Structure formats: structure tokens, C-alpha cells
Amino acid sequence: MNLTHPFLDLDGDKLREECGVFGVIGNPEAAAVTALGLHALQHRGQEACGIVSWDGHEFFARRGLGHVAQVFSDQVMLSELPGHMASGHVRYSTTGGQGLRNVQPLHADLARGGFSIAHNGNISNAMHLRQELVEKGAIFQSSSDTEVIIHLVATSRYPTLLDRFVDALRMVEGAYSLICMTPKRMIACRDPLGIRPLVMGRIGDAVVFASETVALDVVGATFEREIEPGEIVEVRQDGRVTSHRPFTPQGARPCIFEHVYFSRPDSLFAGRSVYEARKAIGAQLAIESPVEADLVVPVPDSGVPAAIGYSQQSGVPFELGIIRSHYVGRTFIQPSDGARHSGVKRKHNANRALVEGKRIVLIDDSIVRGTTSMKIVEMMRDAGASEVHFRVASPPTAHSCFYGVDTPERSKLLAARMELEPMREFIKADSLAFVSIEGLYRAVGGIERSATAPQFCDACFSGDYPTSLTDLAQRTQRESQLSFDKVA
């Protein structure tokens, strides 16, 4: 038994936040406001960030690898981004991989002027479209799926840029929240299913767009509303705001994992406080899977609200049985296995004086590969816990995401390989339970899940993907053909 258990890396076994976007038009310090907004969205992407601004005559851009505070560290740097309009992006790579050439916002000079784009989400037919564009002579400067949209806009034959933009979006499938800039306007839009979030607010006369409401709070903007699924909002330089709805209305399918993990708890999503939703998930988990215990212990920090809800519902005291060091950098700045497992960056430790001799209920938001959950259970036992019960504030994650979340391939997801009891044995817990998908729906929306038309995108739990997955289908077909050829 390790009497001095080492700090644990708990970030290497999490689903990766997709990206975050922010934009403002009509503010004389647009770049500074954007940098502040990106700080509030840093949790959505910590690998790289960028800002593009427009001063009325030309576009200016700065992009870099690392945190917002590293890339935009002083006022001199922001002074290089003049203008009343700016957009920004924080990134964790999903499609396209690492590297400065994939850092957004992307910018290009089109026939009718400059065009920049910041994208949260993932285009699930990007490789198919890219191949078609390359065969027609397109030259790509990045490996990001976002650049496909720029080429589709550039090659569209419609007369106005807005029509070209709509024409481009009609050809893509998947998930997107976009903030685009041209010399005359800022354009914000959300995919027809509203899978990825996007909200709108104001600072005086300036219009602000962001992935989450917390970014509006931080920059002092008032929240007006969510951008509706399939809506395109156009804001001209004179302040005129126009809403367009060019797509056939569909049932909204916002990503339910925003409630579970991705969004900051002080944000609003789908009309509800994320913090309150997570507490409700924890309470639902206590109703569905109670257990005799002495303490409810969250896996910091994402498990805290659900653990509070579990404690309040069950009557079992809430305690911080795992202490996090806030002076160690997050380990998925660089998403390589070496960085994830680096001992230098491990940052959690058991509160031995609290947990020794106690029956513990551990609350976490999800189990992905299961390796981290196993280490947490081991850490509690090494600290002297008499029993360790694991409760998960989401259903089993058994399917990969193709809409902008960096999930492992399905063969590496624990729930795709094992049933509940083998999973419990794998993580070495005394008991293991997940909230049901029906319970999750009740907790976050007070609704019953429709089996034929789910109200959220829950594909990572159910395998019910709300859009076509062209690239996946073509890749699967090629792999099947290769396997057949080898056998033949």
C-alpha cells in the first residue's frame, strides 16, 4: 500500500472540450474585449488561440500555440489588432491536428474582399468535400475542416457573399457554430440542429457573440438570446442586425454533454443554468443508485456540482476527499500521450485524514477509457477508505463523437468493450452505477426522451447520430474493401 500516494493526472482520460468562439462588432477596443472573452472560454480549448480584427481598411491577425494569456500577454500585442470588429478562437484539435497553420480564425482574400472564420464543431463530410475541391484545383493552406467552408464560399456562383455563404453551408453536414467577418459585416450562425452552442449579447451599442454566456458576463455584456438552430445573424458596421433562416426547420438537437461537462457551471445552456442542471443530474443519480455510505466525494472539479446534488438528495455528507493543486498546468495543452501521463503535471491527491476508514461515494462526470477511474479508486483505497462506490453523472460513453469532441476511437471506450459488472471489476470499485439516459433527460430538461426524435444530441451514449456521417462511411467502406482484398 502506498502511504504517500502520488498526485494523479485526471485530465488525460476526459473527453476533450471542442473549441470556443467569440466576436464583437461596434467596440473601439474590439481585440481587447475578444481576448477577455477568450479567457472566459479557455476551458473549451487550451492548445492554441487566435484573434483577427478589422480596422475599416484591412484585416490584422495574431495566432499562437498555448493559452490566451501566453499568446496575448500585453497591451502592445493587442495594439497590433486595431479596429471596431474582431473575432477570436480557442482550440483543442479535433480535425486537422496540431500546428500553427490550423489555428483559427482562418482568413482568406476572396474575390469580393477579405473573409475570416472561427468555427466550433466538426464537419462530418469535410474529407469528401475537400477531395472534390482539390480535384477542381483548390489549394489548401491547412488540414482543418474549417477551411473547406472558405473554399465553398469562394467557389460559389451566387452573386452576394451572404448567398454564397448559405450555399456553402448547404453542402456541409455535421455541427458548426461560426463567427465570420467581412469588411462590411459580422456573421454568426449555428447549424440547423443547433448541436454546438452560440449566444448573442450587447455591450452598449456593440453586438457580441460567444460560445457561452459566461464570456458575455466576463466582458460586461448583457445576454440577449441564443442563436437559434439554423439561424444566420448578420450585423453590419452601422449596427443594423438582420436575422436569416435559410434552412428547412428541424427539431433542435443541442449537445447534451454541454450540461454534463463541457460548459462552465456559471453559464446558461439551452435556457438553463449549467450548475443547476449538474446538481439535478447528481440528485437523479442518488434516486436511481443509492448506496450506504459515510461521505460523498467529487472528482474535482467537474464532479463537484453533481456531487452536491447527490449529497443533498441522499443525505450523505459532501466532503472534499480529493484535493486539487491549482498550481499545476492542465495536462491536455498538448494532447500527446507523453504529456498526458507526465508525472510533472499530476495534480490531485487524496485527503487521507478525511477518507480513512470511511465508505466513500465518488462522483465523476463520465468514464471514458476507465484508466483514470481505476487510479482514483486505488488512490481512495491507499488513503484508507473502507469502501469505494463509483457513481457517474452521465450514461456510459459507448460511442465516438463526430461533431467536434475529441473522443477516442470506439475500441478504446470502456463502455464499448464491457458491460457494467466487468467495468466495475476493471476500475476495482465496490459498486458502479451510471445515471440512466432517461434520468439525464429529466434532470437537464424536465422532459422524457423521445426514442424516435431525441431532443438532444446524445449520440455518444445512444449511438443515434442526428446527421449523416459521410467521411466515416467512406472510410469504413475503404477499410472493408482492404480487408476483403487481403483475404482474397
Side-chain angles (χ1 to χ4, degrees), residues 5 14 61 72 88 94 129 201 205 221-222 231 314 366 386 402 405 407 417 429 435 455 469 481:
H5 202 285
K14 291 285 187 183
F72 302 100
T94 54
L129 292 171
D205 294 330
T222 57
E231 181 183 16
S314 66
S366 60
S386 61
F402 300 96
V405 181
T407 47
R417 298 187 290 113
V435 73
Q455 300 91 329
L469 300 173
Q481 184 61 46

Side-chain angles (χ1 to χ4, degrees), residues 373-381 388 390 427-429:
S373 302
M374 178 173 58
K375 292 176 183 178
I376 298 168
V377 172
E378 179 187 3
M379 181 173 68
M380 291 289 100
R381 295 203 191 280
V388 182
F390 212 105
I427 68 172
K428 298 181 172 65

Side-chain angles (χ1 to χ4, degrees), residues 54-83:
W54 168 257
D55 72 346
H57 301 285
E58 61 180 305
F59 284 94
F60 298 83
R62 179 174 287 276
R63 306 176 186 88
L65 303 178
H67 288 190
V68 178
Q70 296 170 317
V71 178
F72 302 100
S73 58
D74 54 48
Q75 195 60 40
V76 174
M77 191 171 293
L78 289 171
S79 69
E80 299 173 3
L81 297 164

Side-chain angles (χ1 to χ4, degrees), residues 212-229:
E212 294 185 36
T213 61
V214 65
L216 303 182
D217 297 336
V218 167
V219 303
T222 57
F223 169 65
E224 285 202 347
R225 65 182 181 86
E226 291 188 358
I227 304 303
E228 296 295 324

Side-chain angles (χ1 to χ4, degrees), residues 217-445:
D217 297 336
V218 167
V219 303
T222 57
F223 169 65
E224 285 202 347
R225 65 182 181 86
E226 291 188 358
I227 304 303
E228 296 295 324
E231 181 183 16
I232 297 176
V233 177
E234 177 187 17
V235 185
R236 293 188 173 271
Q237 294 285 4
D238 60 7
R240 285 182 294 158
V241 179
T242 308
S243 173
H244 308 273
R245 289 178 171 80
F247 307 110
T248 302
Q250 303 180 45
R253 295 283 297 274
C255 172
I256 202 166
F257 227 100
E258 293 286 346
H259 274 312
V260 172
Y261 176 66
F262 292 139
S263 291
R264 262 179 52 164
D266 46 345
S267 282
L268 301 174
F269 177 68
R272 184 169 187 193
S273 159
V274 173
Y275 178 76
E276 292 298 331
R278 288 178 187 166
K279 282 178 61 180
I281 297 170
Q284 181 67 32
L285 188 55
I287 292 170
E288 294 181 0
S289 303
V291 65
E292 292 291 329
D294 300 308
L295 298 176
V296 174
V297 174
V299 177
D301 286 322
S302 58
V304 171
I308 293 173
Y310 191 101
S311 173
Q312 291 175 348
Q313 177 65 38
S314 66
V316 179
F318 169 95
E319 295 287 356
L320 296 178
I322 300 173
I323 304 301
R324 174 185 174 186
S325 170
H326 291 272
Y327 302 98
V328 182
R330 289 176 69 99
T331 59
F332 58 87
I333 295 170
Q334 299 177 11
S336 67
D337 287 340
R340 285 172 181 161
H341 298 298
S342 172
V344 177
K345 296 179 178 179
R346 291 175 293 185
K347 61 184 182 181
H348 295 81
N349 196 36
N351 188 349
R352 167 175 285 277
L354 185 69
V355 305
E356 190 168 17
K358 301 294 196 308
R359 298 169 297 174
I360 305 299
V361 182
L362 282 171
I363 308 291
D364 204 357
D365 60 87
S366 60
I367 291 180
V368 184
R369 294 178 177 88
T371 52
T372 296
S373 302
M374 178 173 58
K375 292 176 183 178
I376 298 168
V377 172
E378 179 187 3
M379 181 173 68
M380 291 289 100
R381 295 203 191 280
D382 287 351
S386 61
E387 297 178 12
V388 182
H389 303 275
F390 212 105
R391 297 292 180 268
V392 186
S394 64
T397 304
H399 303 271
S400 298
C401 176
F402 300 96
Y403 300 122
V405 181
D406 185 34
T407 47
E409 59 188 64
R410 193 175 182 218
S411 62
K412 295 180 180 180
L413 295 171
L414 191 66
R417 298 187 290 113
M418 298 181 184
E419 298 295 330
L420 184 64
E421 180 57 20
M423 290 175 70
R424 183 201 64 77
E425 293 176 354
F426 180 84
I427 68 172
K428 298 181 172 65
D430 290 287
S431 69
L432 171 64
F434 297 79
V435 73
S436 67
I437 194 166
E438 294 79 14
L440 178 62
Y441 266 71
R442 285 193 290 272
V444 304

